[in-house]
Amino acid sequence: MTDTTNMSAKELLGFYQEELYEEARRAKKEGKLVCWSASVAPSEFCVAMDVAMIYPETHAAGIGARKGALDVLEVADEKGYNLDTCSYARVNLGYMELLKQEALTGKTPEKLEKSPAARIPLPDFVITCNNICNTLLKWYENLAVELNIPCIIIDVPFNHTMPIPQYAKDYIAEQFKEAITQLEEICGRKFDYDKFLKVQEQTQRSVAQWNRIASLSGHKPSPLNGFDLFNYMALIVCARSKDYAEITFKKFADELEENLNKGIFAFKGNEQKRVTWEGIAVWPHLGHTFKGLKNLGDIMTGSAYPGLWNLSYTPGDMSSMAESYTRIYINTCLDNKVKVLSDVISGGKCDGVIYHQNRSCKLMSFLNVETADMLQKENHLPYVSFDGDQTDPRNFSPAQFDTRIQALDEMMKQNKEGVSNE
Amino acid sequence: MSRLETIISELSSISNNPRKAMEDYKKETGKGSVGVMPYYAPEEIIHAAGFLPVGIWGGQKSISKARAYLPPFACSIMQSVMEMQLEGVYDDLEAVLFPVPCDTLKCLSQKWKGTSPVIVFTHPQNRKLEAANKFLAEEYRLVREKLQTILNVKITDEALNQSIETYNENRKAMREFTDLAANYPQIIDPKKRHAIIKARFFMEKSKHTAMVKELNSELKSLPVEAFTGKKVVLTGIMAEPNEVLDILKDNGFAVVADDLAQESRLFRNDVPSGTDPLYRLAKWWQEFDGCSLATDAKKSRGPMMMDMVKGSKADAVVVCMMKFCDPEEFDYPIYYRQFEEAGIKSLFIEIDLETTSFEQTKTRVQSFSEML
Ligand code: SF4
Ligand code: SF4
């Protein structure tokens, strides 16, 4: 066992990420089960049954960030996947194809060999949940059919009217029961309800530490740059039901608090303006987007995206767990979505908003115009939007991004001067 | 004009002029119309209220105003629907029923630009569970309540069960029609076939049924002539605009069956029997399969289409791919592989409601026809 006691949060993050992949590879070797899971599908059931988990969205983001997306995107392309579909899905379906070829021929395809991302094993089954999009239903249908494996579906119906009605929670809770039955069948043993309760409690502790980090961006100046959350997100996705996430987040929150006490802030020099970033990161150009803002003296202190994993509920109460998985802001009506974002913006004491018009993600793009408009009426903050994509590097133009954030920066400056002149 | 021709021309003119159909309905009954967005909304509830359910399927259109509200990578049909919302085309509707089975529709349901009230409901996607039926019946209960309030009518269970029968009757007539049409491609060409089906969206259903039944019996009385062209099955969201269908016709293709969301998917199953009408309607969704919008981890669509090809003795499948429709785009690689493995030929054409130039489609269809 590696001694993790003296590791920094950053080291812990790297260590546990690798550890999770290693666990999955080990499980595969030992003939144990591996499951691929949607990023906000309930992890509690599989973890309670000791199934090793892989999260394709995170894996795809890793491939994107390491500039390895084009190779696998090409494989998906050859399989007939349209360039217009989500690039997370295409990266993963392309990668799956390579793994399948390897399994069938015993030979490692060159593109797999060359791929900069962590090697992952093929799944024995998959679990998906549409709380962030219905694309995850289509994508996982295809995984299940291509690999001829079971698919556990947790369907959380779009909440067109808030608050969430009890009958919706009942439907979701019934699916939890069904998922347990399916798991018992897949694993060939009874579901471990005692462990399940412990896993739920663990999940709550992880979420609490995660929220602790996120809330630190409310300080002005901020000890936390939102871009760090993009990185740490990997563990709230992949390990929230294990103590890996709790340990790492606690460490990070402690570090940040310590920095805060010492007057060390995220922005070296003087943070001038604070922005909210709405949407997913542009993984292949993460550096460019980060530096672009930094060079203007801007720091990101608001992002609703990490808040997707604010999955707090009462352990032992299935209805409460159902609610936490369905209330995610992009699974609710526009009014609620705006309300959540409004809190993110004011919580981060932001001066402006950047909308990522994501070519991959229809759900996170098609309401941007209305969202921006409603928020601006409410808070009078300037905003811009730019065209991007979370993993397909071809759909982002650095020059357009720069121009847009410069414009935002100008508007934020004027706003601030206006305020100080008053 | 023969009776057959008269019926076809009447139905075609209705399908080309929904506005007039709405006005006529108002004149006759004093009641207005309720819009029905794609896909699979329980129109029966509107029918039971005595109002005219009107299908909203966009139309051939150049997009300008909608650009401000939708990025270019939104599907072609919703671009045109958005454009028409902004033009006020739908403002005479008393209400709009709005299902949200894809990401695009979830968003669109939150940004209706017309003046009519919008009633949103969600289809469950873990469809084979009993809990899904219960959930959907609850959604439908709310739809009914909202409609009652907006339309100021009471929609009884009795009326609703009656409307379900009316619709089932129509579905049956439609299935008979599509089967018959396959035998008479010289009379029912692709464009006429489409118009006869599309007229359903703008007519009180029992009227449509009566005309289609008459059409069916007229057809049956005619001798079946040998067809020298090629027979195809269409799949996708829809096969519009008419130019696309004309290109098929000009190249000697007959449509002998379809798996289009705008056509046969709507009537290939009846609403099952039972006492609680809302539960019956919910159950329809559970039994429905083979559509990109109805989650199915077994993906029975490919095998279903292969059966369709066999059953209709088709030579090939024409994939009518709605531009930027991700649910359909995700299904494609799977059934394409299944077709390849089974030796079924298929042609991929793009459906773009904005385009006015069909050269590419023409070329593709032409070379495909030479290949068959
Ligand atoms: S990027 Fe958007 S479409 Fe793709 S998986 Fe995430 S939420 Fe779904
Ligand atoms: S199913 Fe496809 S065509 Fe229909 S609204 Fe959704 S994305 Fe558009």
Side-chain angles (χ1 to χ4, degrees), chain B residues 238-350:
Chain B
M238 63 197 220
E240 289 190 12
N242 278 335
E243 280 89 337
V244 172
L245 296 168
D246 279 338
I247 292 171
L248 289 177
K249 182 185 170 186
D250 294 345
N251 285 280
F253 285 105
V255 177
V256 289
D258 79 84
D259 167 52
L260 297 170
Q262 195 193 24
E263 303 189 358
S264 284
R265 284 186 202 166
L266 288 166
F267 48 76
R268 67 181 170 217
N269 292 3
D270 281 349
V271 173
S273 56
T275 44
D276 176 1
L278 298 176
Y279 184 83
R280 294 176 69 188
L281 290 168
K283 194 119 172 98
W284 180 88
W285 174 245
Q286 178 172 60
E287 291 175 358
F288 175 63
D289 271 322
C291 170
S292 58
L293 295 155
T295 302
D296 173 11
K298 298 206 168 54
K299 281 198 115 81
S300 41
R301 178 172 176 188
M304 280 172 77
M305 281 199 282
M306 293 197 273
D307 285 348
M308 220 181 275
V309 168
K310 232 202 229 151
S312 61
K313 301 201 174 58
D315 300 292
V317 175
V318 177
V319 178
C320 306
M321 184 58 76
M322 177 66 69
K323 199 175 176 186
F324 293 117
C325 170
D326 49 310
E328 285 286 318
E329 286 166 347
F330 270 106
D331 277 3
Y332 177 74
I334 304 291
Y335 67 71
Y336 177 75
R337 172 177 59 76
Q338 292 167 340
F339 287 174
E340 290 284 290
E341 284 165 6
I344 292 174
K345 296 200 174 60
S346 65
L347 169 70
F348 181 105
I349 55 175
E350 189 178 68

Side-chain angles (χ1 to χ4, degrees), chain A residues 148-324:
Chain A
N148 194 19
I149 53 174
C151 177
I152 298 178
I153 297 169
I154 305 292
D155 166 40
V156 295
F158 178 66
N159 295 295
H160 49 78
T161 312
M162 292 295 274
I164 298 156
Q166 188 58 44
Y167 67 83
K169 293 183 227 172
D170 292 346
Y171 165 50
I172 299 164
E174 278 298 317
Q175 296 178 72
F176 289 167
K177 281 195 208 150
E178 175 68 18
I180 289 173
T181 313
Q182 265 179 289
L183 259 180
E184 287 180 329
E185 234 165 75
I186 295 166
C187 301
R189 58 194 145 89
K190 285 269 156 230
F191 189 68
D192 188 339
Y193 284 91
D194 295 332
K195 179 137 190 241
F196 178 59
L197 186 66
K198 293 211 174 70
V199 171
Q200 285 186 310
E201 286 162 358
Q202 175 59 62
T203 309
Q204 292 311 300
R205 288 195 298 275
S206 302
V207 166
Q209 292 299 334
W210 174 248
N211 289 344
R212 209 182 128 212
I213 302 174
S215 72
L216 283 164
S217 63
H219 291 278
K220 206 171 173 180
S222 172
L224 169 76
N225 190 325
F227 277 90
D228 287 334
L229 280 179
F230 282 151
N231 291 323
Y232 282 85
M233 216 168 72
L235 285 187
I236 193 71
V237 173
C238 308
R240 62 181 177 274
S241 293
K242 295 184 165 237
D243 62 2
Y244 301 176
E246 185 195 359
I247 295 169
T248 308
F249 298 158
K250 180 172 181 311
K251 181 81 192 176
F252 190 39
D254 289 348
E255 286 174 6
L256 290 172
E257 273 175 7
E258 203 180 308
N259 285 348
L260 188 65
N261 290 337
K262 287 195 209 140
I264 303 172
F265 303 107
F267 204 97
K268 309 277 175 280
N270 196 4
E271 71 169 44
Q272 287 157 26
K273 286 144 266 105
R274 300 158 65 103
V275 298
T276 286
W277 177 290
E278 168 55 356
I280 312 179
V282 186
W283 297 112
H285 303 277
L286 195 66
H288 184 94
T289 51
F290 171 73
K291 277 186 218 125
L293 285 164
K294 190 174 160 226
N295 292 342
L296 294 166
D298 300 343
I299 181 172
M300 192 231 294
T301 53
S303 165
Y305 193 54
L308 296 182
W309 289 273
N310 176 15
L311 297 158
S312 36
Y313 57 81
T314 314
D317 178 347
M318 287 295 212
S319 185
S320 149
M321 180 173 160
E323 205 224 319
S324 78

Side-chain angles (χ1 to χ4, degrees), chain B residues 78 94 122 191 338:
Chain B
M78 287 308 139
E94 311 283 336
T122 311
K191 195 162 76 183
Q338 292 167 340

